Amino acid sequence: MASRNPLSEEDFSCPVCCDIFRDPVVLSCSHSVCKTCLQQFWETKVSRECPVCRRRSSRELPPISLTLKNLCEAFLESRSQRSSAGSEGLCVLHNEELKLFCLDDQQPVCLVCHLSKTHKDHNCCPVDEAVTEFKVGHVKYFEMLNEAKRDYDQTATHIKTQAQHTERQIKEEFEKLHQFLRDEEAARIAALKEEEEQKGQMMRRKIEEMNGEISALSDTIRNIEKEMEAEDVLFLQSSVLRAQLTPKDPEKTSGALINVGKHLSNLKFRVWENMQEVLQYTPVTLDPNTAHPDLHLSDDLTAVEKRKQSSSLPDNPERFDGWWCVLGSEGFNSGIHCWDVQVGDSENWSLGVITESVTRKGDSFCGSVWSLSAVVQRFIVKNRQSDFCGVCA
């Protein structure tokens, strides 16, 4: 067995930098300090005193301790050799072969270390067994990482699919709105054109009547001009007769102009009112990220049904995997809430509430749900109790 060095690293450490001495000098108080550390210390303190005991030094340039310097170099060389021995599978303390592995300290040890105070009460096993366990553990960890990577890849693919599907639905919904606005625009322009045609036709008819009267009056004027050559009495008699047949002044036509106010007054608001009649507000929409893989949601997220073939969906923490459940996209923490749910002729349905923080994997959440199911509904119908309110957990 190789002999151990009786001195520790602390014995060769500078009290200022706490590292192995570099060019150690000896002060008059017998304390040793690195030459560079002492100079820096004196520069900050202005006065020449020992960094350890604060005693003033009588020398401006303390001598270098060659003995301590040689010991420090020998210690560094010995530590380097021990490190090299450790890298070759030998104990740095006892220079013995490392045959055991300390499970408590997670490091290889020799037989002497196992019997020493440091590792005496620790759990140790042969190195080859530890290596086998480490290999098995690393293989399991590697498989776990690969599985996690597959999940991440599936999630990334699903995110892209979700984005594309959602974008398509958004475009479809906005296209419906655009079509509604185009239809509204066409209908209002058609109404404007119809009014324009009606009132324009009315004015054309009046203009034609007026042209007829003007033509008749022109003939009358020409006849008068001819009669002016006759005797005055005969002319007056004829003029009076004609004056009795002269039409009155034409009346102004009321409501002849386009009713601009009817077409433009609160136009946006009236279009919005008409839009309200064709749109439907759903107070509860479903969250597809929570739906069990066997469930299929409608495109507008308002209906759900169970299908025989499961969908390939990421196993994200929000998703149910033990029960056929799906949550609403928005929750609440207070107030009174009411829903109208259409279940059709289905005999297997449940409606209820759970806390948002409940675990959704497996069936551990069953004790945390309040629900009204098809069984309770059949009980209500059977007993004809319309005011019955049932909650089952």
Side-chain angles (χ1 to χ4, degrees):
M1 184 185 305
S3 61
R4 295 180 56 190
N5 194 332
L7 298 177
S8 63
E9 185 173 347
E10 296 180 357
D11 297 323
F12 299 100
S13 299
C14 171
V16 177
C17 65
C18 299
D19 200 357
I20 302 300
F21 284 110
R22 296 184 300 275
D23 296 329
V25 295
V26 181
L27 300 176
S28 58
C29 59
S30 300
H31 289 121
S32 297
V33 187
C34 292
K35 181 179 179 181
T36 304
C37 295
L38 182 64
Q39 291 175 352
Q40 294 176 352
F41 182 77
W42 281 0
E43 289 177 359
T44 56
K45 288 293 185 179
V46 181
S47 60
R48 297 192 301 271
E49 61 182 27
C50 175
V52 180
C53 65
R54 306 302 183 189
R55 181 178 176 181
R56 292 184 59 84
S57 175
S58 59
R59 297 184 180 183
E60 184 177 356
L61 297 175
I64 293 178
S65 176
L66 296 178
T67 302
L68 181 57
K69 181 179 180 181
N70 293 334
L71 289 173
C72 291
E73 292 177 354
F75 178 80
L76 290 174
E77 183 178 359
S78 175
R79 186 171 65 177
S80 176
Q81 292 177 353
R82 292 197 302 270
S83 177
S84 177
S87 63
E88 296 176 357
L90 299 179
C91 178
V92 295
L93 299 177
H94 308 107
N95 202 25
E96 294 284 344
E97 186 177 358
L98 300 172
K99 295 184 177 182
L100 300 176
F101 185 80
C102 180
L103 300 176
D104 295 342
D105 294 332
Q106 290 293 301
Q107 66 179 25
V109 295
C110 67
L111 295 175
V112 180
C113 291
H114 180 51
L115 298 175
S116 64
K117 293 182 179 180
T118 306
H119 301 279
K120 184 177 181 180
D121 297 328
H122 291 181
N123 294 323
C124 297
C125 68
V127 171
D128 55 350
E129 293 183 5
V131 171
T132 302
E133 292 183 2
F134 272 109
K135 288 182 179 179
V136 172
H138 280 75
V139 169
K140 291 181 179 179
Y141 183 61
F142 180 76
E143 293 176 351
M144 183 177 64
L145 289 179
N146 282 334
E147 184 178 356
K149 182 179 180 300
R150 287 193 295 270
D151 291 340
Y152 291 156
D153 291 339
Q154 183 185 14
T155 301
T157 303
H158 188 67
I159 289 173
K160 186 174 182 179
T161 303
Q162 274 187 315
Q164 294 174 347
H165 181 68
T166 304
E167 180 181 357
R168 183 169 61 254
Q169 287 183 277
I170 290 175
K171 290 182 177 180
E172 290 175 357
E173 291 299 321
F174 271 94
E175 177 57 29
K176 294 178 182 178
L177 296 177
H178 295 160
Q179 186 59 46
F180 172 83
L181 293 177
R182 286 193 291 266
D183 294 341
E184 280 285 321
E185 179 186 9
R188 292 177 182 277
I189 291 179
L192 174 62
K193 294 294 184 181
E194 182 180 359
E195 183 179 358
E196 178 189 12
E197 178 62 25
Q198 291 176 353
K199 294 188 175 180
Q201 185 177 3
M202 178 185 67
M203 294 308 299
R204 286 192 297 271
R205 185 173 62 252
K206 289 183 176 295
I207 290 172
E208 290 177 358
E209 293 176 356
M210 188 63 64
N211 288 333
E213 293 181 4
I214 292 174
S215 179
L217 184 60
S218 297
D219 295 339
T220 302
I221 292 174
R222 283 194 297 270
N223 294 330
I224 291 175
E225 289 177 347
K226 292 180 180 180
E227 291 177 358
M228 289 177 65
E229 299 175 355
E231 295 181 357
D232 293 340
V233 175
L234 296 176
F235 171 75
L236 290 175
Q237 291 177 348
S238 177
S239 298
V240 171
L241 180 61
R242 295 180 184 277
Q244 294 176 353
L245 299 176
T246 300
K248 299 179 180 179
D249 293 337
E251 296 180 356
K252 299 293 183 181
T253 303
S254 178
L257 300 180
I258 296 293
N259 189 353
V260 178
K262 182 185 72 173
H263 296 286
L264 295 182
S265 178
N266 295 317
L267 177 60
K268 297 178 182 178
F269 179 78
R270 295 184 183 280
V271 172
W272 177 78
E273 279 187 325
N274 293 339
M275 187 179 294
Q276 293 292 100
E277 297 177 0
V278 299
L279 299 182
Q280 181 179 3
Y281 172 73
T282 304
V284 177
T285 56
L286 305 176
D287 183 1
N289 294 335
T290 66
H292 188 280
D294 291 349
L295 299 180
H296 174 74
L297 274 60
S298 60
D299 289 339
D300 59 359
L301 305 180
T302 60
V304 59
E305 65 176 351
K306 179 184 175 298
R307 293 187 174 179
K308 294 181 179 180
Q309 186 176 2
S310 299
S311 303
S312 178
L313 299 173
D315 187 22
N316 49 301
E318 300 85 359
R319 190 177 306 282
F320 290 95
D321 62 359
W323 290 77
W324 298 320
C325 293
V326 59
L327 297 183
S329 58
E330 296 182 6
F332 52 87
N333 52 23
S334 62
I336 299 175
H337 304 270
C338 177
W339 308 283
D340 291 331
V341 182
Q342 297 180 358
V343 298
D345 56 356
S346 174
E347 296 183 355
N348 186 10
W349 56 266
S350 295
L351 174 68
V353 293
I354 62 172
T355 58
E356 185 178 10
S357 60
V358 71
T359 301
R360 302 172 190 180
K361 302 302 180 182
D363 57 357
S364 58
F365 79 97
C366 290
S368 304
V369 60
W370 288 0
S371 65
L372 178 68
S373 64
V375 176
V376 177
Q377 180 68 17
R378 288 195 295 271
F379 176 78
I380 296 174
V381 174
K382 181 179 179 181
N383 291 274
R384 299 185 181 278
Q385 295 177 344
S386 58
D387 58 345
F388 178 84
C389 179
V391 175
C392 62

Coordinates of all heavy atoms in Angstrom, one line a residue, residues 204-243:
R204 N -91.8 60.6 -66.0 CA -91.9 60.6 -67.4 C -93.4 60.7 -67.9 O -93.6 61.3 -69.0 CB -91.3 59.2 -67.9 CG -89.8 59.2 -67.8 CD -89.2 58.0 -68.6 NE -89.6 56.7 -68.0 CZ -89.0 56.1 -67.0 NH1 -87.9 56.6 -66.5 NH2 -89.4 54.9 -66.6
R205 N -94.3 60.1 -67.2 CA -95.7 60.1 -67.5 C -96.2 61.6 -67.4 O -96.9 62.1 -68.3 CB -96.5 59.2 -66.6 CG -98.0 59.2 -67.0 CD -98.7 58.1 -66.2 NE -98.7 58.4 -64.8 CZ -98.0 57.7 -63.9 NH1 -97.2 56.7 -64.3 NH2 -98.1 58.1 -62.6
K206 N -95.8 62.3 -66.3 CA -96.2 63.7 -66.1 C -95.6 64.5 -67.2 O -96.2 65.5 -67.7 CB -95.8 64.1 -64.7 CG -96.7 63.5 -63.6 CD -96.3 64.1 -62.3 CE -97.2 63.5 -61.2 NZ -98.6 64.0 -61.4
I207 N -94.3 64.2 -67.6 CA -93.7 65.0 -68.6 C -94.4 64.9 -70.0 O -94.6 65.8 -70.7 CB -92.2 64.7 -68.7 CG1 -91.4 65.1 -67.5 CG2 -91.6 65.3 -70.0 CD1 -90.0 64.7 -67.4
E208 N -94.8 63.6 -70.3 CA -95.6 63.4 -71.5 C -96.9 64.1 -71.5 O -97.3 64.7 -72.5 CB -95.8 61.9 -71.7 CG -94.6 61.1 -72.0 CD -94.8 59.6 -72.1 OE1 -96.0 59.2 -71.8 OE2 -93.9 58.8 -72.3
E209 N -97.6 64.1 -70.3 CA -98.9 64.9 -70.2 C -98.6 66.4 -70.5 O -99.4 67.0 -71.1 CB -99.5 64.6 -68.9 CG -100.0 63.2 -68.7 CD -100.5 62.9 -67.3 OE1 -100.4 63.9 -66.4 OE2 -101.0 61.8 -67.0
M210 N -97.5 66.8 -69.8 CA -97.2 68.2 -70.0 C -96.9 68.6 -71.4 O -97.3 69.6 -71.9 CB -96.0 68.6 -69.1 CG -95.8 70.1 -69.0 SD -97.2 71.0 -68.3 CE -97.2 70.4 -66.6
N211 N -96.1 67.7 -72.1 CA -95.8 67.9 -73.5 C -97.1 68.0 -74.4 O -97.2 68.8 -75.3 CB -94.9 66.8 -74.0 CG -93.5 66.9 -73.5 OD1 -93.1 68.1 -73.1 ND2 -92.8 65.8 -73.4
G212 N -98.1 67.2 -74.0 CA -99.3 67.2 -74.8 C -100.1 68.5 -74.6 O -100.6 69.1 -75.5
E213 N -100.1 69.0 -73.4 CA -100.7 70.3 -73.1 C -100.0 71.4 -73.8 O -100.6 72.3 -74.3 CB -100.8 70.5 -71.6 CG -101.7 69.5 -70.9 CD -101.8 69.8 -69.4 OE1 -101.2 70.8 -68.9 OE2 -102.4 69.0 -68.6
I214 N -98.6 71.3 -73.7 CA -97.9 72.4 -74.4 C -98.2 72.4 -75.9 O -98.3 73.4 -76.6 CB -96.4 72.2 -74.1 CG1 -96.1 72.5 -72.7 CG2 -95.5 73.1 -75.0 CD1 -94.6 72.2 -72.2
S215 N -98.3 71.2 -76.5 CA -98.6 71.1 -78.0 C -99.9 71.7 -78.3 O -100.1 72.4 -79.3 CB -98.5 69.7 -78.4 OG -98.8 69.5 -79.8
A216 N -100.9 71.4 -77.4 CA -102.3 71.9 -77.6 C -102.3 73.4 -77.5 O -103.0 74.1 -78.3 CB -103.2 71.2 -76.7
L217 N -101.5 73.9 -76.5 CA -101.5 75.3 -76.3 C -100.8 76.0 -77.5 O -101.2 77.2 -77.8 CB -100.8 75.6 -75.0 CG -100.7 77.1 -74.6 CD1 -102.2 77.7 -74.4 CD2 -100.0 77.3 -73.2
S218 N -99.9 75.4 -78.0 CA -99.2 76.0 -79.2 C -100.1 76.1 -80.4 O -100.2 77.2 -81.1 CB -98.0 75.1 -79.6 OG -97.0 75.1 -78.6
D219 N -101.0 75.1 -80.6 CA -102.0 75.2 -81.7 C -102.9 76.3 -81.4 O -103.4 77.1 -82.3 CB -102.7 73.9 -81.8 CG -101.8 72.7 -82.2 OD1 -100.8 73.0 -82.8 OD2 -102.2 71.6 -82.0
T220 N -103.3 76.5 -80.1 CA -104.3 77.6 -79.8 C -103.7 78.9 -80.1 O -104.3 79.9 -80.6 CB -104.6 77.5 -78.3 OG1 -105.2 76.2 -78.1 CG2 -105.6 78.6 -77.9
I221 N -102.4 79.1 -79.7 CA -101.7 80.4 -79.9 C -101.7 80.7 -81.4 O -101.9 81.8 -81.8 CB -100.3 80.4 -79.3 CG1 -100.4 80.3 -77.8 CG2 -99.5 81.6 -79.8 CD1 -99.1 80.1 -77.1
R222 N -101.4 79.7 -82.3 CA -101.4 80.0 -83.7 C -102.7 80.4 -84.3 O -102.9 81.3 -85.1 CB -100.9 78.7 -84.4 CG -99.4 78.5 -84.3 CD -98.9 77.4 -85.3 NE -99.5 76.1 -85.0 CZ -98.9 75.2 -84.2 NH1 -97.8 75.5 -83.6 NH2 -99.5 74.1 -84.0
N223 N -103.8 79.7 -83.7 CA -105.1 80.1 -84.1 C -105.5 81.5 -83.7 O -106.1 82.3 -84.5 CB -106.2 79.2 -83.6 CG -106.0 77.7 -84.2 OD1 -105.5 77.6 -85.3 ND2 -106.4 76.7 -83.4
I224 N -105.0 81.9 -82.5 CA -105.3 83.3 -82.0 C -104.6 84.3 -82.9 O -105.2 85.4 -83.2 CB -104.8 83.4 -80.6 CG1 -105.7 82.6 -79.6 CG2 -104.8 84.9 -80.1 CD1 -105.3 82.6 -78.2
E225 N -103.4 84.0 -83.3 CA -102.7 84.9 -84.2 C -103.4 85.1 -85.5 O -103.4 86.2 -86.1 CB -101.3 84.4 -84.4 CG -100.4 84.5 -83.2 CD -99.0 83.9 -83.4 OE1 -98.8 83.2 -84.5 OE2 -98.1 84.0 -82.6
K226 N -104.0 84.1 -86.0 CA -104.8 84.2 -87.2 C -106.0 85.1 -87.0 O -106.5 85.8 -87.9 CB -105.1 82.9 -87.8 CG -104.0 82.1 -88.3 CD -104.4 80.7 -88.8 CE -103.2 79.9 -89.3 NZ -103.6 78.5 -89.8
E227 N -106.7 84.9 -85.9 CA -108.0 85.6 -85.6 C -107.8 87.1 -85.3 O -108.7 87.9 -85.3 CB -108.7 84.9 -84.5 CG -109.2 83.5 -84.9 CD -109.9 82.8 -83.7 OE1 -109.9 83.4 -82.6 OE2 -110.4 81.7 -83.9
M228 N -106.5 87.4 -84.9 CA -106.3 88.8 -84.6 C -106.5 89.7 -85.8 O -106.7 91.0 -85.6 CB -104.9 89.0 -84.0 CG -104.7 88.4 -82.7 SD -103.0 88.5 -82.1 CE -102.8 90.3 -82.0
E229 N -106.5 89.2 -87.0 CA -106.7 89.9 -88.2 C -108.2 90.2 -88.4 O -108.6 91.0 -89.2 CB -106.1 89.2 -89.4 CG -104.6 89.0 -89.3 CD -104.1 88.1 -90.4 OE1 -105.0 87.6 -91.2 OE2 -102.9 87.9 -90.4
A230 N -109.1 89.6 -87.7 CA -110.5 89.8 -87.8 C -111.0 91.0 -87.0 O -110.2 91.7 -86.4 CB -111.3 88.5 -87.4
E231 N -112.3 91.2 -87.0 CA -112.8 92.3 -86.3 C -112.6 92.1 -84.8 O -112.6 91.0 -84.3 CB -114.3 92.5 -86.6 CG -114.6 92.9 -88.0 CD -116.1 93.1 -88.3 OE1 -116.9 92.8 -87.3 OE2 -116.4 93.4 -89.4
D232 N -112.6 93.3 -84.0 CA -112.3 93.2 -82.6 C -113.3 92.4 -81.8 O -113.0 91.6 -80.9 CB -112.1 94.6 -82.0 CG -110.9 95.3 -82.6 OD1 -110.0 94.6 -83.2 OD2 -110.9 96.5 -82.5
V233 N -114.6 92.6 -82.2 CA -115.7 92.0 -81.4 C -115.6 90.5 -81.6 O -115.7 89.7 -80.6 CB -117.0 92.5 -81.8 CG1 -118.2 91.7 -81.1 CG2 -117.2 94.0 -81.5
L234 N -115.4 90.1 -82.8 CA -115.3 88.7 -83.1 C -114.1 88.0 -82.4 O -114.1 86.9 -81.9 CB -115.3 88.4 -84.6 CG -116.5 88.8 -85.3 CD1 -116.3 88.6 -86.8 CD2 -117.7 88.0 -84.9
F235 N -113.0 88.8 -82.4 CA -111.7 88.3 -81.8 C -111.9 88.1 -80.2 O -111.5 87.1 -79.7 CB -110.6 89.3 -82.1 CG -109.3 88.9 -81.3 CD1 -108.5 87.9 -81.7 CD2 -108.9 89.7 -80.2 CE1 -107.4 87.6 -81.0 CE2 -107.8 89.4 -79.5 CZ -107.0 88.3 -79.9
L236 N -112.6 89.1 -79.6 CA -112.7 89.1 -78.2 C -113.6 87.9 -77.8 O -113.4 87.2 -76.8 CB -113.3 90.4 -77.6 CG -112.3 91.6 -77.7 CD1 -113.0 92.9 -77.2 CD2 -111.1 91.3 -76.8
Q237 N -114.7 87.8 -78.6 CA -115.6 86.7 -78.3 C -114.9 85.4 -78.4 O -115.1 84.5 -77.6 CB -116.8 86.7 -79.3 CG -117.8 87.9 -79.1 CD -118.9 87.9 -80.1 OE1 -118.8 87.2 -81.2 NE2 -119.9 88.7 -79.9
S238 N -114.1 85.2 -79.4 CA -113.3 84.0 -79.6 C -112.3 83.8 -78.5 O -112.1 82.7 -77.9 CB -112.6 84.0 -80.9 OG -111.8 82.8 -81.1
S239 N -111.6 84.9 -78.1 CA -110.6 84.9 -77.0 C -111.2 84.5 -75.7 O -110.7 83.7 -74.9 CB -109.9 86.2 -76.9 OG -109.2 86.5 -78.1
V240 N -112.4 85.1 -75.4 CA -113.0 84.8 -74.1 C -113.4 83.3 -74.0 O -113.2 82.6 -73.0 CB -114.3 85.6 -73.9 CG1 -115.1 85.2 -72.7 CG2 -113.9 87.1 -73.7
L241 N -113.9 82.8 -75.2 CA -114.3 81.4 -75.2 C -113.0 80.5 -75.0 O -113.1 79.5 -74.3 CB -114.9 81.1 -76.6 CG -115.4 79.6 -76.8 CD1 -116.4 79.2 -75.8 CD2 -115.9 79.4 -78.2
R242 N -112.0 80.9 -75.6 CA -110.7 80.1 -75.5 C -110.2 80.3 -74.0 O -109.6 79.3 -73.5 CB -109.7 80.6 -76.5 CG -110.1 80.3 -77.9 CD -109.1 80.7 -78.9 NE -109.6 80.5 -80.3 CZ -109.5 79.4 -80.9 NH1 -109.0 78.3 -80.3 NH2 -110.0 79.3 -82.2
A243 N -110.3 81.4 -73.4 CA -109.8 81.6 -72.1 C -110.5 80.7 -71.1 O -109.9 80.2 -70.1 CB -110.0 83.1 -71.6

